[in-house]
Amino acid sequence: MSDPRPDPMPGPMPEPLVPGPRTAELLDRYAASLLGVFGVPQLVLDHGEGPWVWDVDGNRYLDLVGGIAVNALGHAHPVLVSAVAEQAAAMVHISNFYTSAAQVGLAERILAAAGAPEGSAVFFANSGTEAVEAAVKLARRTGRTDIVAAEGGFHGRSTGALALTHKPAYRDPFAPLLPGVRHVPYDDVDALAAAVTQATSAVVLEPIQGEAGVIVPDPAYLTAAREITARAGALLILDEVQTGVGRTGTWFAFQQAGILPDAVTLAKGLGGGVPVGALVTMGPRVSHLLAPGQHGSTFGGNPLAAAAGIAVLDTIERDGLLAHATAMGEHLVARIDALGHPVVAGVRGAGLLRAIVLTADVAPAVAVAARSAGFLVNAVTPSALRLAPPLVVTADQLDSFVEVLPGLLDSATSQEGTR
Ligand SMILES: *Cc1c(COP(=O)(O)O)cnc(C)c1O
């Protein structure tokens, strides 16, 4: 099958894109064959290139979701494609009875990017959830059982990680969960200080809360969390599954806070779309908490995943994508602020993890309108649109979205008014 690839950028108000017969057929088959936990998929995608994706009917979209902060290099990046192809041709998987140059190389690069002290170490998993599970077991090895997490926090959906995730709709159907977890209001130093005791094994926080709507705490919050945990002898574990690997303009968000956590969880952007997660333990004391045999994974850090991770980190470094993410994030904020649109309350976030905050609960309607205008964005909350585009996105591409945004907001709010 040949793919029509329309070339020019979409204009300010393009013809609405309408998924066609291939989409309809595949969605029918999806409904008859996939577990319904994700609801009805918004699109049936076929391929991508850079920040663009095409659906199976040939419609092109600018992907400002980026696989939810995963596709750091965009789609079909030649460096990632050849790294994966070459590694697949050499060997895909070997089990953790053995290691590979790719696995060792990725661990070293992660530690270097994190500025991790001597004696730090990496455990490879296959997802963010699994990285968090490893962190929970790490915390247990302190000999204490209590964990303090934050309201609004998202840490994954396996039953251990779910105990740290705060959202009642995700938790309640599966109660009782892991005991000893307490949630405190995010960005509230006093609440954190009051909750952390000598029984606290770890405080687990996102440096910016992603799923809660890209909530950025006061810069002093993470510093205070570092001090509070150090004083109580508890670990500070930062969940950088969403914020890590350049997403916020530095390798890791904790670097902007000027602190060193005891452990960091990574996943999403790390493999550029190839599943790989990691727990990074800082320094020998923390790195020795999990002894041989106390944790493991069949697939974790296999050569294929590790080669993808190396390709991502190398490309971010070689192409200056940290500075680019910072610049593009600031550009986006300036352009949206300049609109002065009454429905836009502001833009939150850092680097290329952003939320356009709306004055009304129209984010889902705006996301639908955006899609038919050829732009993928995510209604992360009823009143916030999340943008987590590939780090390679250009100013012109972001501008093309900002140009249509007022029209999208107007159409969504007028629908709201007529309801
Ligand atoms: C997405 C996410 C997770 C879960 O990662 P999965 O790869 O979906 O298991 C955990 N923590 C944070 C902060 C996330 O954004």
Side-chain angles (χ1 to χ4, degrees), residues 163-176:
L164 306 186
T165 292
H166 179 250
K167 196 172 178 169
Y170 294 166
R171 301 167 58 87
D172 292 353
F174 306 100

Side-chain angles (χ1 to χ4, degrees), residues 68-70 126-132 153-158 161 165 205-211 238-243 265-268 276-277 386:
I68 318 182
V70 166
N126 310 289
S127 67
T129 299
E130 284 180 49
V132 171
F154 182 82
H155 302 287
R157 309 260 209 158
S158 65
T165 292
L205 297 171
E206 294 161 271
I208 293 175
Q209 287 189 326
E211 297 309 301
L238 294 184
D239 184 349
E240 295 232 26
V241 167
Q242 191 155 156
T243 54
T265 51
L266 303 175
K268 292 198 165 88
V276 54
R386 174 171 50 181

Side-chain angles (χ1 to χ4, degrees), residues 118-205:
E118 196 69 23
S120 299
V122 177
F123 170 80
F124 285 116
N126 310 289
S127 67
T129 299
E130 284 180 49
V132 171
E133 287 293 333
V136 169
K137 287 179 71 176
L138 182 81
R140 276 290 174 96
R141 293 295 302 142
T142 61
R144 303 178 180 184
T145 53
D146 291 1
I147 294 179
V148 176
E151 293 175 7
F154 182 82
H155 302 287
R157 309 260 209 158
S158 65
T159 54
L162 186 57
L164 306 186
T165 292
H166 179 250
K167 196 172 178 169
Y170 294 166
R171 301 167 58 87
D172 292 353
F174 306 100
L177 296 166
L178 187 73
V181 179
R182 180 154 166 211
H183 291 92
V184 294
Y186 189 62
D187 198 15
D188 182 334
V189 173
D190 293 340
L192 188 63
V196 174
T197 69
Q198 297 293 316
T200 306
S201 64
V203 170
V204 181
L205 297 171

